[in-house]
């Protein structure tokens, strides 16, 4: 059970992160100072150091926001989850989670650009990529085993392709004309050769049992 002090510390850290995200969105990662974050969080200057060792620690914590929730949601997907729904709806959920914290598509791109020159952020990005690929891989493998995806599909390659699509959808959100349902139709068309209908799945399973 968490103590009152632990709960209070978590609340303060959350408030600081939310304040930092507002500052990052308004001023940018590089130009935002710890003093800016303290002011936005309604704290005395320097009080933030009770909860984060440095601005770098705040940036790193902000870059991890939403990752545990996303991986948990992926791992809890049931067998036979429609792969197109996985791509589109999970992207939408992840985007809503990020927006709830103030992580706009533009700010996410700024974090990605910063990770290219910041080894700590790069390590976090690599860790997140590995966790997401592993979670998606398990979902895809279950879909293939259940007969919902053509067995010729390379699960790892498909898992990485899904991440590329998510990144592409995130970038496309920068444009005002973004319509997620249009992309759902496009992705459905793209995956049509590899998707197996429930009826086809039953036929394939029956044929497999007869061969045995």
């Amino acid at each position: 059970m968490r103590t009152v002090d632990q709960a209070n510390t978590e609340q303060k850290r959350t408030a600081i992160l939310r304040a930092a995200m507002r500052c990052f969105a308004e001023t940018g990662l590089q130009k935002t100072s710890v003093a800016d974050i303290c002011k936005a969080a309604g704290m005395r200057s320097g009080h933030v150091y009770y909860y984060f060792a440095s601005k770098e620690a705040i940036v790193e914590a902000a870059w991890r926001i939403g990752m545990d929730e996303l991986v948990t949601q992926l791992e809890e997907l049931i067998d036979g989850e429609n792969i197109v729904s996985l791509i589109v709806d999970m992207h939408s959920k992840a985007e809503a989670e990020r927006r709830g914290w103030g992580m706009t598509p533009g700010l996410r791109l700024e974090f990605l650009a910063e990770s290219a020159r910041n080894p700590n952020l790069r390590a976090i990005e690599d860790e997140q990529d590995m966790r997401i690929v592993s979670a998606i891989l398990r979902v895809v493998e279950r879909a293939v085993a259940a007969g919902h995806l053509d067995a010729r599909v390379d699960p790892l390659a498909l898992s990485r392709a899904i991440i590329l699509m998510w990144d592409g959808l995130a970038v496309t959100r920068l444009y005002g004309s973004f319509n997620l349902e249009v992309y759902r139709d496009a992705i459905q068309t793209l995956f049509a050769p590899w998707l197996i209908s429930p009826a086809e799945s039953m036929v394939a399973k029956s044929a497999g049992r007869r061969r045995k």
Side-chain angles (χ1 to χ4, degrees), residues 60-131:
E60 291 173 10
W63 194 216
R64 293 181 184 275
I65 285 174
M67 182 52 50
D68 288 337
E69 290 82 356
L70 175 59
V71 172
T72 298
Q73 289 171 0
L74 282 168
E75 291 175 338
E76 290 177 350
L77 286 174
I78 62 172
D79 290 343
E81 179 77 9
N82 182 279
I83 200 70
V84 176
S85 176
L86 164 65
I87 296 168
V88 178
D89 295 335
M90 287 303 298
H91 164 78
S92 183
K93 288 180 182 179
E95 185 66 22
E97 178 75 20
R98 286 192 288 265
R99 290 298 184 95
W101 279 91
M103 178 71 82
T104 64
L107 182 55
R108 184 163 178 251
L109 285 179
E110 188 173 355
F111 267 94
L112 283 170
E114 183 66 19
S115 70
R117 53 181 173 263
N118 182 320
N120 290 338
L121 287 186
R122 180 72 257 170
I124 293 172
E125 176 67 13
D126 291 342
E127 173 198 340
Q128 292 177 341
D129 181 72
M130 183 174 64
R131 291 182 66 191

Side-chain angles (χ1 to χ4, degrees), residues 79-81 140-149 196 198 201-202 205:
D79 290 343
E81 179 77 9
V140 172
E141 287 175 336
R142 290 201 305 266
V144 171
H148 296 284
L149 277 175
I196 301 176
S201 177
M202 290 298 294
K205 287 182 178 180

Side-chain angles (χ1 to χ4, degrees), residues 11 39 84 159 178 192 198 210:
Q11 289 176 357
K39 182 177 179 181
V84 176
S159 299
F178 181 84
R210 285 197 298 271

Side-chain angles (χ1 to χ4, degrees), residues 160-186:
R160 293 201 172 278
I162 289 172
I163 290 182
L164 288 174
M165 289 181 186
W166 279 351
D167 289 341
L169 288 171
V171 171
T172 307
R173 283 181 178 274
L174 289 168
Y175 305 104
S177 59
F178 181 84
N179 184 332
L180 186 59
E181 292 310 306
V182 171
Y183 291 99
R184 185 193 299 272
D185 291 342

Side-chain angles (χ1 to χ4, degrees), residues 5-23:
D5 286 344
Q6 288 173 325
N8 182 64
T9 296
E10 289 182 14
Q11 289 176 357
K12 289 290 188 181
R13 284 175 60 87
T14 297
I16 292 167
L17 282 175
R18 290 193 179 280
M21 293 295 279
R22 293 196 299 272
C23 292

